[in-house]
Amino acid sequence: MLTIKQITENTEAVLRGLEKKHFKNAKETIDQVIALNNKRRSTQNELDKNLAEVNSLSRTIGQLMKEGKKEEAETARARVAELKEGNKELDAAMTQAATDMQNVLYTIPNIPYDSVPEGVGAEDNVVEKMGGMETELPKDALPHWELAKKYDLIDFDLGVKITGAGFPVYKGKGAQLQRALINFFLDEARKSGYTEIMPPTVVNAASGYGTGQLPDKEGQMYHCEVDDLYLIPTAEVPVTNIYRDVILEEKQLPIMNCAYTQCFRREAGSYGKDVRGLNRLHEFSKVELVRIDKPEHSKQSHQEMLDHVEGLLQKLELPYRILRLCGGDMSFTAALCFDFEVYSEAQKRWLEVSSVSNFDTYQANRLKCRYRNAEKKTELCHTLNGSALALPRIVAALLENNQTPEGIRIPKALVPYCGFDMID
């Protein structure tokens, strides 16, 4: 969430940033925030003035009674009663203005960094780097959903029977491959200094608001209405919320956590060829990296996270590319985001497998996640997160890009985790 200081002291810069993100009605929304803040401040000033008068009169009443000036004391008492009644209304008005302002602030996305390219959608993203080796497949190469059926790895129809579309059932070596990837990703994260967390996969609304999924992505989240809890769309939500309403010491930073969880997304409005097989699921496995850092170090943290994800793709021997996302294609909460995509040779298309984002102070302000600096002053932290990695499209690319006439080859780095080097 943007701070009032950001908005009031750098209004034009904020408006330019919102324009880069193609946020509709930016001027009207910012004007509304400023008006509500002015109302809150003026009401607070009036309340403070009245409270000071109440305190002064209260001291005077005792002195007047001692001096035998009962009539003047009663007049003062009447004035105190009048002020207190008015203060109730002022306090209610101030609270309402603050609540209304907070609700409007929740609807405003983060401001992108200057390094974010201009653009409306995916076609305007900038390719920063390409890596990995091109794959040569047999002429009769199959897409992963057909390979999954051929080798009895994943049963999509059974998932439909049990739950519905987008909830596949992994079987045999397909299930083993999933587990192998999870353990591989967690081990690699641990080697890089991350502490593993095993969080809940349901969160309360406060957690959703803390990391920015609410109210922006409410329609994409599975909501357990009776308990008012949400199934998580990513481990970012529970892991980052560990630090909600927490003041950290500077020496604790950067905090580096990782977590494997199941993730749940309604993917409302998704249809067509892009949802075939594992391309777009409602439930999927993912290992997430989360960092909490001080502002001057977050750029380095972001780069270290990018290097980590790239290293995973290199070890999996997959062709990949790194995209710097344009303003119009970035998430609601991100100030800077890079996507990693792997190439699916059988489908002839790029598949997103990770987004690595720096949120600056946006989430920290919502979370009230702060640290105490060397001068003992509290400042907002920076938060960062990234997938390392999301499994479905990684599995899709591994199956498709490694198919041979003899079966599906397992990358060398995964063999110790799988216990086999070929799916046949």
Side-chain angles (χ1 to χ4, degrees):
M1 184 169 63
L2 300 182
T3 65
I4 289 300
K5 185 176 181 181
Q6 281 177 291
I7 291 173
T8 55
E9 294 184 0
N10 301 287
T11 306
E12 292 305 315
V14 167
L15 288 171
R16 286 195 300 272
L18 294 178
E19 183 179 351
K20 184 183 264 192
K21 269 205 172 177
H22 299 273
F23 177 62
K24 294 179 180 179
N25 303 317
K27 178 77 166 57
E28 294 85 345
T29 305
I30 293 301
D31 286 347
Q32 187 180 4
V33 169
I34 292 172
L36 286 166
N37 187 50
N38 288 340
K39 181 179 179 180
R40 180 192 62 79
R41 290 181 62 188
S42 63
T43 308
Q44 176 75 67
N45 289 338
E46 189 174 352
L47 180 60
D48 289 344
K49 180 181 175 182
N50 285 2
L51 288 171
E53 187 177 350
V54 167
N55 291 335
S56 176
L57 285 170
S58 296
R59 289 192 297 271
T60 302
I61 290 169
Q63 185 62 36
L64 290 171
M65 291 297 290
K66 286 180 181 179
E67 296 172 1
K69 300 176 180 178
K70 293 183 179 180
E71 187 174 337
E72 291 181 35
E74 289 302 322
T75 301
R77 282 198 182 97
R79 176 59 178 162
V80 167
E82 179 187 354
L83 286 169
K84 285 184 175 179
E85 195 61 34
N87 286 350
K88 291 179 183 178
E89 296 179 6
L90 287 171
D91 188 62
M94 184 182 68
T95 300
Q96 188 61 55
T99 300
D100 292 344
M101 182 180 68
Q102 183 95 337
N103 288 337
V104 177
L105 285 169
Y106 278 141
T107 70
I108 302 173
N110 200 358
I111 302 302
Y113 286 158
D114 291 340
S115 58
V116 172
E118 300 282 350
V120 177
E123 65 280 359
D124 299 313
N125 295 333
V126 176
V127 178
E128 292 277 311
K129 184 177 181 180
M130 299 188 71
M133 297 178 63
E134 292 184 13
T135 307
E136 292 186 13
L137 296 184
K139 291 181 180 179
D140 57 349
L142 300 174
H144 69 271
W145 53 87
E146 293 186 25
L147 290 167
K149 186 173 183 179
K150 178 180 178 181
Y151 294 103
D152 197 23
L153 304 173
I154 307 167
D155 195 323
F156 295 100
D157 293 334
L158 187 55
V160 172
K161 173 186 174 181
I162 296 170
T163 309
F167 295 89
V169 175
Y170 298 85
K171 303 166 63 179
K173 287 187 175 181
Q176 288 177 260
L177 178 59
Q178 281 274 112
R179 182 159 44 85
L181 282 164
I182 292 164
N183 288 333
F184 170 65
F185 293 153
L186 287 173
D187 280 355
E188 290 296 309
R190 178 179 52 78
K191 291 174 186 175
S192 295
Y194 290 88
T195 299
E196 184 178 351
I197 303 292
M198 189 173 286
T201 52
V202 291
V203 294
N204 55 32
S207 294
Y209 276 95
T211 44
Q213 281 69 30
L214 295 177
D216 179 57
K217 292 290 187 293
E218 186 164 11
Q220 295 290 351
M221 296 174 74
Y222 284 97
H223 186 202
C224 308
E225 293 183 6
V226 173
D227 304 295
D228 194 23
L229 297 173
Y230 294 83
L231 300 184
I232 63 169
T234 165
E236 166 202 345
V237 182
V239 175
T240 311
N241 269 278
I242 292 171
Y243 306 97
R244 174 156 44 97
D245 298 319
V246 170
I247 298 177
L248 300 160
E249 296 300 327
E250 186 173 2
K251 64 184 179 182
Q252 293 177 265
L253 303 175
I255 287 172
M256 300 166 59
N257 290 331
C258 67
Y260 151 68
T261 62
Q262 291 297 99
C263 303
F264 304 86
R265 299 181 186 178
R266 293 184 62 242
E267 297 290 2
S270 299
Y271 61 92
K273 64 178 182 179
D274 289 350
V275 302
R276 292 291 301 274
L278 297 170
N279 287 343
R280 195 173 293 275
L281 301 178
H282 295 306
E283 179 182 0
F284 58 95
S285 302
K286 184 153 69 86
V287 172
E288 192 79 359
L289 306 180
V290 172
R291 287 203 188 198
I292 313 291
D293 210 342
K294 53 187 179 182
E296 61 267 30
H297 192 257
S298 73
K299 182 178 179 180
Q300 181 178 331
S301 271
H302 200 186
Q303 186 58 55
E304 289 172 3
M305 294 172 78
L306 294 170
D307 292 342
H308 180 86
V309 175
E310 184 176 10
L312 295 177
L313 295 175
Q314 289 171 344
K315 289 175 182 177
L316 291 176
E317 304 169 35
L318 289 171
Y320 65 90
R321 67 181 184 182
I322 307 173
L323 304 177
R324 183 187 294 261
L325 297 196
C326 70
D329 200 35
M330 278 207 308
S331 74
F332 185 85
T333 50
L336 177 63
C337 180
F338 293 87
D339 272 6
F340 286 79
E341 297 181 335
V342 294
Y343 192 68
S344 163
E345 187 62 45
Q347 296 181 72
K348 301 297 182 185
R349 58 189 294 256
W350 289 96
L351 305 173
E352 180 197 330
V353 295
S354 176
S355 290
V356 184
S357 302
N358 189 333
F359 303 109
D360 201 270
T361 60
Y362 187 86
Q363 286 184 334
N365 188 38
R366 285 174 171 245
L367 295 159
K368 299 296 177 280
C369 173
R370 295 158 289 172
Y371 76 100
R372 192 175 283 106
N373 64 22
E375 288 75 39
K376 303 302 180 183
K377 294 181 180 178
T378 57
E379 297 183 37
L380 288 171
C381 297
H382 278 199
T383 63
L384 306 93
N385 87 278
S387 308
L389 289 158
L391 270 71
R393 295 171 189 166
I394 288 289
V395 171
L398 286 174
L399 296 180
E400 292 180 3
N401 291 8
N402 292 304
Q403 58 184 298
T404 71
E406 294 75 34
I408 300 170
R409 183 184 65 84
I410 299 298
K412 185 178 179 181
L414 277 184
V415 172
Y417 292 90
C418 289
F420 52 84
D421 59 7
M422 184 74 73
I423 296 174
D424 51 23

